[in-house]
Amino acid sequence: MTDTFVIVGGDAAGMSAASKAKRENPEMDVIVFEKGEWVSYAACGMPYYLKGEVETLDDLVAVRPEQFREERDVDLRTGHEVVDVDADSETVTVEGDGERFEQPYDHLLVATGATAIEPPFDGLDLDGVFTLHDMDEADAIETYLTEQSPESAAIVGGGYVGIELAEALSARGVDVALYEMLPHVLQPFGDAVAEVVEEHLLEQGVDLHLDTAVSGFEGGERVERVALEADTRPADVAIVGVGVTPNADLAADAGLELGETGAVATDEYGRTNYENVYAAGDCAEARHVVTGEPAHVPLALTANRSGRAIGQTVAGDPEEVGGIAGTAIVKAFDLGAARTGVVDEDRAREAGFDPVSVSISAPTRAHYYPDASELTVTLVADRESGRLLGGTVVGREGAKRIDTIATALTAGMTVGELRNADLAYAPPFSPVWDPVLTAAKVLEGKLE
């Protein structure tokens, strides 16, 4: 009898799982239920669509629905929402095409993603106030920008979305004010990165408001002002980007265990507390390679990789989903900023480490080679063991050097082992001592 693999959610984790399972076991029935119409799209590209560097939303789609159906033999049903999971009877209840029906499964993947957080602000329902987490929201923002031609924008939140949208809207000639309630933007990246980025944002004309809480928005039918604690400021469009929350209600209602992060708890194979039920992507936890503890870091590679592994597992060849280091990179106008591992020393102490850190600035190329620029590298290590715990980089070029640090974390390397890594050198690409090696050398001296 043919096994049936049912997947709830048609983006990165879900469609990676569907494709892999079908490749490994072509006889398996693979059914994907997606409540929207978009599948397998690059959400990370939406700010660049709004900036105008990506011509159409369709350009962000990696594999089109008809390709999944016709070329990969995946039973993809868009416009179908799973409204209930009965893990004991191994069925899901689905609503779509004007009907409600039950679908049995042998294996189930919950890949319901996450949703942009909507703080309890007044005026969230005004025209011109948006969040940005899916393609329909990106389409709505683009339509509003085109039709209304706003002169001023309020961006609430100094994380990835806020920084990228500040650049996107500035490129369209909109005066941008960015509001962050914490002392710095990009809080998970640490002060060394944030201070460099903040200075650059100001240089680019962004009206930066740190330690500033927003209470809501005001206007008639459309937004006209952003309300702060003591006053208001003009805003013809507003975008709230204060983070995301996992879509875990369906899983919780089905009896799947949630972790302390609020996302679905899983084991090394992506399994939940039900052996044949899996969770992956932005709705699920993953194991952090530094702390060994469950973490919720909703990023694209994590979703794709874990979905692919689960697809292979249900096809009969088990594969672990792999750990995460929380590696992330963001473009801030002419800067790149990146982070990986544990860079917050308080968090490191909570995880049982005695953290020691250094920050250095070094050229990205040989000193005599044209167009070299400074790259700031911060590394954090455990004093007793010398184990590398995390790092950040920020500069006009070279931010992808974070991958060297992430690789070292995944391998469990010490600072000394990183210092001895045989990295490539040629004057157009690096000085003899790459900035990452220089930082490791300085930190090793501090540990001695």
Side-chain angles (χ1 to χ4, degrees):
M1 184 175 179
T2 302
D3 276 0
T4 298
F5 181 23
V6 169
I7 298 168
V8 187
D11 198 16
M15 300 318 297
S16 293
S19 297
K20 183 61 174 177
K22 202 66 181 178
R23 281 196 302 271
E24 295 296 313
N25 184 356
E27 301 304 313
M28 177 176 284
D29 290 331
V30 179
I31 306 172
V32 181
F33 295 113
E34 166 55 48
K35 68 178 182 180
E37 297 300 323
W38 297 94
V39 300
S40 192
Y41 61 88
C44 298
M46 293 187 298
Y48 305 105
Y49 164 68
L50 295 174
K51 184 181 178 182
E53 292 181 332
V54 176
E55 187 172 347
T56 70
L57 273 178
D58 282 339
D59 292 334
L60 299 179
V61 177
V63 183
R64 303 188 185 286
E66 58 270 19
Q67 290 177 277
F68 282 111
R69 296 174 182 128
E70 298 169 8
E71 298 174 12
R72 304 191 181 187
D73 196 26
V74 172
D75 184 359
L76 170 61
R77 306 186 200 179
T78 55
H80 283 69
E81 181 177 6
V82 173
V83 295
D84 184 61
V85 174
D86 190 329
D88 294 320
S89 67
E90 299 184 344
T91 60
V92 298
T93 303
V94 187
E95 293 181 353
D97 289 340
E99 61 176 350
R100 181 183 177 100
F101 61 93
E102 290 189 350
Q103 171 63 54
Y105 64 81
D106 297 291
H107 313 277
L108 176 69
L109 170 60
V110 177
T112 46
T115 301
I117 294 172
E118 292 188 354
F121 291 160
D122 295 330
L124 274 178
D125 57 345
L126 289 172
D127 285 347
V129 179
F130 303 94
T131 57
L132 178 62
H133 191 64
D134 62 37
M135 297 281 266
D136 289 333
E137 291 171 328
D139 186 42
I141 294 171
E142 173 62 27
T143 299
Y144 192 87
L145 295 175
T146 301
E147 294 181 352
Q148 303 299 328
S149 299
E151 296 181 358
S152 60
I155 296 175
V156 182
Y160 312 111
V161 171
I163 298 297
E164 291 168 344
L165 285 175
E167 177 182 341
L169 297 187
S170 294
R172 298 180 70 137
V174 181
D175 292 331
V176 174
L178 190 151
Y179 301 90
E180 170 56 59
M181 67 181 297
L182 298 175
H184 289 293
V185 301
L186 296 176
Q187 184 270 336
F189 290 64
D191 293 353
V193 170
E195 289 167 2
V196 175
V197 172
E198 288 160 6
E199 182 179 354
H200 188 59
L201 291 175
L202 293 171
E203 291 172 352
Q204 296 295 322
V206 175
D207 186 11
L208 187 59
H209 299 265
L210 303 175
D211 277 319
T212 303
V214 168
S215 59
F217 307 99
E218 299 175 356
E221 293 183 358
R222 293 200 297 265
V223 63
E224 298 172 14
R225 295 172 300 278
V226 55
L228 310 176
E229 290 181 341
D231 63 354
T232 62
R233 291 178 177 269
D236 301 324
V237 63
I239 304 177
V240 179
V242 296
V244 300
T245 185
N247 293 329
D249 288 347
L250 180 71
D253 291 344
L256 305 188
E257 291 181 2
L258 305 187
E260 292 184 5
T261 69
V264 183
T266 60
D267 69 7
E268 65 269 28
Y269 292 96
R271 290 191 183 95
T272 68
N273 51 304
Y274 285 86
E275 186 176 0
N276 62 338
V277 180
Y278 302 78
D282 292 358
C283 69
E285 292 184 333
R287 181 186 61 83
H288 199 286
V289 297
V290 176
T291 67
E293 297 297 320
H296 180 240
V297 186
L299 295 170
L301 178 59
T302 303
N304 276 275
R305 189 181 60 188
S306 56
R308 184 181 186 279
I310 290 167
Q312 180 167 318
T313 295
V314 300
D317 184 13
E319 180 178 346
E320 295 185 6
V321 297
I324 63 169
T327 309
I329 189 168
V330 62
K331 182 177 182 294
F333 290 88
D334 299 327
L335 290 179
R339 56 144 293 152
T340 188
V342 178
V343 297
D344 184 307
E345 294 194 9
D346 289 338
R347 184 185 171 203
R349 291 187 188 94
E350 290 172 1
F353 300 108
D354 182 8
V356 180
S357 65
V358 297
S359 291
I360 63 99
S361 291
T364 55
R365 308 179 187 190
H367 70 275
Y368 52 83
Y369 195 87
D371 300 324
S373 63
E374 289 290 298
L375 187 72
T376 299
V377 180
T378 299
L379 294 180
V380 183
D382 177 51
R383 185 184 302 276
E384 181 177 351
S385 66
R387 180 186 174 188
L388 188 67
L389 302 180
T392 65
V393 298
V394 60
R396 289 180 178 266
E397 66 173 9
K400 276 289 280 179
R401 280 177 166 90
I402 198 68
D403 291 342
T404 300
I405 305 172
T407 301
L409 292 177
T410 303
M413 292 171 66
T414 65
V415 174
E417 289 169 335
L418 176 59
R419 175 184 60 81
N420 284 326
D422 186 17
L423 303 188
Y425 157 66
F429 305 105
S430 170
V432 174
W433 281 87
D434 186 88
V436 171
L437 299 183
T438 298
K441 183 169 56 173
V442 174
L443 181 53
E444 187 179 37
K446 194 172 180 179
L447 290 171
E448 292 176 349

